[in-house]
């Protein structure tokens, strides 16, 4: 694809260490992982995906795209033999927990391999906001300085490059925690351009009905948003739109979610969506009143890709506020959320404006070719200056040293105890 990539590296092998097996139909994290894998495959990498997690029926068939699969064990030296034999030139950790578990083993067995961390979102930011919400306090910087923050930022320092999905998170890492920007790469979702000819085929205002919300229910912010809709926002909307329905989709629906189903109220739990594009194209407006969280919200991108206007909160819009204002509305109180939702739902001119705005703005914001090139160049630069980059990252060296001394021997103790 890019001329300079012909000399990318002689040993073109990538090992992905996954927190879970990718489930693109269940979560944005699954889609994100496949986007990253696709970049390496396009550069003729041999890709192996390994995970200690059990597979579910929703797991993507990686072998169908030429990716090898390997089950690995936590706290087990069998991983050492596996990675030494594989001898990858790059290792991608799926979230900081996997770097904690396997990073020191990678450093020992394959010291020349580039270590890349995909944060997905900043876990300490999401957990900090969740904690503030639980105790009824306004979120502030004090909620960031947690043990999870220490663990996650330590992981960022131990890696050669960390992929950050949101500009807001880039600012927090660089400004609040003073992380060296050379360790960070802003990399949002990478999606194919929506052609105007395809966009024109989407159902129009008159052909759509009802509202939709979607999200993996293993993710606490998603369940909380649905509960917020059920208890607070949806009753206000139904007063003005008594015949409207809210269709709630998502993977891993639990009994407590099913109990929210109420036909008389038009609050319908639909469960797993096999085709998110079909679901979005049938809906008139996508609702996402997210009260805590981090990263970019895949459900909003799914909606906008299908010409479906969105209404969300400031947290939901974080990192793509300009995009959301073009393609929908941002509201943080139940009353304002309801007013903007009903207005878009009833006002054809406004709906047409928001729907049509998604095409050019979305293509620019998540331009696949642009950000693939950004990622490829960043990895190339890291490979070319790996020793220099590590020498300049003394904090990372220090943390890796202590990781080798503490995590390593704790892991060996656990392995011995389990033997």
């Amino acid at each position: 694809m890019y001329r300079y990539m012909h000399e990318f590296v002689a040993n073109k092998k990538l090992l992905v260490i996954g927190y879970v097996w990718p489930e693109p139909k269940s979560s944005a994290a699954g889609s994100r992982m496949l986007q990253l894998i696709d970049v390496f495959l396009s550069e003729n990498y041999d890709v192996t995906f390994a995970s200690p997690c059990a597979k579910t029926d929703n797991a993507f068939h990686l072998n169908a795209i030429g990716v090898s699969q390997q089950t690995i064990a936590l706290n087990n030296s069998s991983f050492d033999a596996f990675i030494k034999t594989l001898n990858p030139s790059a290792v991608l950790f799926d979230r900081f927990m996997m770097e904690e578990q396997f990073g020191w083993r990678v450093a020992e067995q394959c010291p020349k391999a580039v270590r890349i961390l995909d944060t997905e979102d900043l876990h300490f930011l999401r957990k900090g906001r969740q904690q503030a919400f639980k105790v009824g306090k306004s979120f502030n910087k004090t909620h960031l300085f947690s043990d999870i923050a220490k663990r996650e930022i330590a992981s960022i320092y131990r890696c050669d490059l960390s992929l950050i999905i949101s500009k807001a998170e880039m600012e927090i890492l660089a400004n609040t925690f003073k992380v060296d920007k050379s360790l960070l790469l802003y990399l949002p979702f990478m999606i194919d351009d929506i052609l105007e000819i395809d966009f024109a085929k989407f159902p129009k205002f008159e052909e759509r009905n009802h509202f939709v919300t979607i999200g993996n229910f293993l993710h606490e912010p998603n369940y909380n948003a649905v509960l917020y809709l059920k208890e607070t926002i949806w009753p206000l909307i139904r007063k003005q739109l008594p015949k409207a329905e809210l269709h709630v989709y998502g993977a891993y629906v639990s009994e407590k979610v099913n109990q929210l189903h109420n036909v008389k109220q038009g609050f319908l739990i639909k469960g797993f969506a096999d085709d998110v594009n079909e679901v979005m194209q049938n809906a008139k407006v996508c609702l996402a009143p997210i009260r805590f969280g981090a990263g970019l919200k895949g459900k909003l991108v799914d909606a906008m890709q299908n010409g479906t206007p969105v209404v969300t909160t400031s947290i939901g819009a974080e990192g793509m506020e300009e995009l959301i204002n073009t393609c929908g509305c941002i509201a943080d109180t139940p009353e304002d959320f309801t007013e903007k939702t009903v207005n878009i739902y009833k006002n054809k001119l406004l709906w047409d404006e928001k729907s049509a705005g998604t095409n050019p703005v979305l293509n620019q914001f998540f331009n696949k070719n642009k950000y693939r090139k950004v990622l490829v160049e960043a990895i190339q630069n890291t490979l070319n200056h790996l020793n220099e980059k590590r020498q300049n990252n003394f904090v990372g060296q220090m943390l890796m040293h202590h990781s080798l001394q503490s995590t390593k021997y704790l892991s060996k103790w656990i392995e011995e105890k389990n033997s």
Side-chain angles (χ1 to χ4, degrees), residues 82-321:
F82 159 68
I83 193 171
K84 190 171 185 177
T85 300
L86 184 66
N87 189 28
S89 50
V91 177
L92 175 64
F93 299 102
D94 173 24
R95 285 161 268 204
F96 79 92
M97 297 82 82
M98 291 297 94
E99 189 281 330
E100 281 185 332
Q101 286 287 339
F102 296 101
W104 66 270
R105 294 184 183 273
V106 172
E108 274 199 340
Q109 302 300 324
C110 301
K112 294 183 179 180
V114 172
R115 299 188 296 271
I116 306 166
L117 173 65
D118 182 35
T119 58
E120 293 291 352
D121 62 28
L122 290 181
H123 291 63
F124 70 83
L125 176 59
R126 171 160 42 88
K127 294 291 186 181
R129 285 173 171 161
Q130 183 173 350
Q131 182 59 32
F133 174 80
K134 282 186 174 180
V135 298
K137 293 184 178 180
S138 297
F139 175 78
N140 58 58
K141 287 185 178 181
T142 62
H143 294 103
L144 293 176
F145 298 100
S146 63
D147 287 346
I148 292 179
K150 295 168 188 173
R151 291 170 56 195
E152 191 163 18
I153 293 174
S155 182
I156 288 172
Y157 271 107
R158 286 193 297 265
C159 289
D160 302 307
L161 188 67
S162 290
L163 311 181
I164 311 300
I165 203 167
S166 166
K167 287 183 178 179
E169 295 183 356
M170 287 284 289
E171 292 177 4
I172 289 171
L173 290 170
N175 298 332
T176 302
F177 291 95
K178 311 301 180 185
V179 176
D180 193 317
K181 291 182 180 180
S182 68
L183 299 175
L184 309 174
L185 180 68
Y186 169 61
L187 195 77
F189 295 123
M190 297 174 282
I191 62 177
D192 292 317
D193 282 355
I194 307 171
L195 302 178
E196 286 192 26
I197 190 170
D198 294 326
F199 196 85
K201 297 176 183 177
F202 293 159
K204 304 298 186 290
F205 178 85
E206 299 84 358
E207 302 171 277
R208 300 187 186 219
N209 289 294
H210 307 308
F211 298 91
V212 67
T213 189
I214 191 169
N216 185 330
F217 286 105
L218 294 179
H219 194 55
E220 184 62 25
N222 290 332
Y223 171 71
N224 182 270
V226 170
L227 197 63
Y228 186 33
L229 279 167
K230 169 73 174 183
E231 296 178 345
T232 306
I233 295 175
W234 185 244
L236 298 177
I237 294 174
R238 280 278 285 193
K239 281 184 180 179
Q240 299 188 51
L241 301 170
K243 294 183 179 180
E245 296 175 358
L246 174 61
H247 297 175
V248 181
Y249 288 90
Y252 303 104
V253 174
S254 63
E255 183 57 32
K256 68 179 182 180
V257 175
N258 279 325
Q259 288 176 357
L260 302 177
H261 183 86
N262 190 306
V263 175
K264 289 184 178 180
Q265 296 173 357
F267 198 94
L268 309 179
I269 306 298
K270 296 286 189 175
F272 183 78
D274 189 63
D275 187 344
V276 67
N277 295 316
E278 181 181 350
V279 165
M280 287 299 180
Q281 288 179 29
N282 287 332
K284 190 165 283 186
V285 183
C286 175
L287 305 181
I290 299 165
R291 292 189 282 185
F292 54 86
L296 299 181
K297 309 304 179 290
K299 59 178 69 62
L300 301 180
V301 177
D302 288 334
M304 292 183 287
Q305 280 184 287
N306 290 284
T308 307
V310 300
V311 184
T312 188
T313 58
S314 297
I315 295 294
E318 185 178 67
M320 49 181 180
E321 291 87 352

